[in-house]
Amino acid sequence: VSIDGYSYSNDTAASFTYAGTPTPGAGIKTFMLGDPSVACADSTHFYLSSIWIDGPNNITGIALSRSTDGGQTFAAPAVVVAKNATTHFVDKDWIALDPQNPTDIYVTYTDFDYSGTVCGADTLGNAIPRFAVEMVSSTDGGASFSSTPTVVDQVCANSGNPEALVEGSQVAVDLQGAVHVSWEEYGMNGGTFADREIRIAKSIDGGSTFGAPVTVSKVDCAG
């Protein structure tokens, strides 16, 4: 099952052909869960990332599908992020390629972490939620990905910041190979969910580490 869909164009977007859904791989309860993001290495090689879930095995993660025919069809995906779905939910992936070295691939996402491993527990013993923008990367065209994700930014929704959240990351690579990740941050410094700002951080070592986040702009909540 896949709730992702895609179309392709061979005439510079004058018209599109609906291609249905990318194959989710083996298993009747293994499926694509949305938030598709696509990147292109050249006219032949396309990459599609998506939220992915394996229900029977309690896995939440990100899957990467590859196309070698200009994005008309995609092969069964490889799982590039996999976490325990009983304590995590992986959300809002985004993919980018290095324009100078298109075999270098970067995928960001948000980890909704309820394990208590990083943020600990409250006075009642309940795990304090941790929300983190993380990134995995590949240097071989998606054949393999980093086994340990890089944490770009993370917050603990504890009593001092009960509505803290980071979400909606997007990644881009500039012509010098620097990796830039932007996202939205909510409710910091004791604020409410309506207190928001766009933040960005930069890596100059291929995404191994990131500099301190910089505020791009405050966001006025309109809802």
Side-chain angles (χ1 to χ4, degrees):
V1 177
S2 174
I3 65 170
D4 296 352
Y6 71 100
S7 300
Y8 63 88
S9 173
N10 290 323
D11 53 15
T12 60
S15 62
F16 278 83
T17 298
Y18 175 58
T21 61
T23 176
I28 60 172
K29 292 184 179 179
T30 299
F31 61 95
M32 311 292 238
L33 199 59
D35 290 346
S37 175
V38 68
C40 170
D42 52 47
S43 61
T44 300
H45 296 88
F46 281 67
Y47 298 86
L48 185 150
S49 67
S50 172
I51 303 175
W52 177 91
I53 194 164
D54 181 345
N57 294 306
N58 280 328
I59 299 173
T60 175
I62 303 296
L64 181 74
S65 305
R66 292 191 286 180
S67 172
T68 58
D69 58 7
Q72 297 186 41
T73 61
F74 285 88
V79 179
V80 300
V81 177
K83 296 178 183 275
N84 188 333
T86 61
T87 52
H88 295 261
F89 178 69
V90 176
D91 194 28
K92 293 291 186 290
D93 60 284
W94 201 268
I95 185 172
L97 274 58
D98 185 334
Q100 302 296 329
N101 299 287
T103 57
D104 292 350
I105 304 172
Y106 302 90
V107 178
T108 60
Y109 57 91
T110 302
D111 179 13
F112 287 71
D113 178 0
Y114 300 97
S115 67
T117 303
V118 175
C119 296
D122 60 21
T123 55
L124 298 177
N126 300 313
I128 296 173
R130 164 189 173 263
F131 306 114
V133 173
E134 297 182 345
M135 187 181 76
V136 292
S137 60
S138 171
T139 58
D140 54 15
S144 63
F145 272 80
S146 49
S147 57
T148 302
T150 298
V151 177
V152 182
D153 194 17
Q154 62 183 355
V155 296
C156 294
N158 52 31
S159 58
N161 293 297
E163 298 189 41
L165 173 68
V166 290
E167 175 67 301
S169 64
Q170 295 187 2
V171 58
V173 187
D174 66 27
L175 294 178
Q176 287 71 48
V179 182
H180 304 263
V181 179
S182 64
W183 66 95
E184 194 167 3
E185 187 159 312
Y186 303 72
M188 289 303 295
N189 301 315
T192 71
F193 195 69
D195 297 314
R196 308 177 181 183
E197 65 182 36
I198 297 170
R199 311 193 89 192
I200 193 167
K202 177 181 178 180
S203 172
I204 58 173
D205 57 8
S208 295
T209 60
F210 279 83
V214 176
T215 298
V216 177
S217 175
K218 295 290 184 181
V219 176
D220 291 328
C221 179

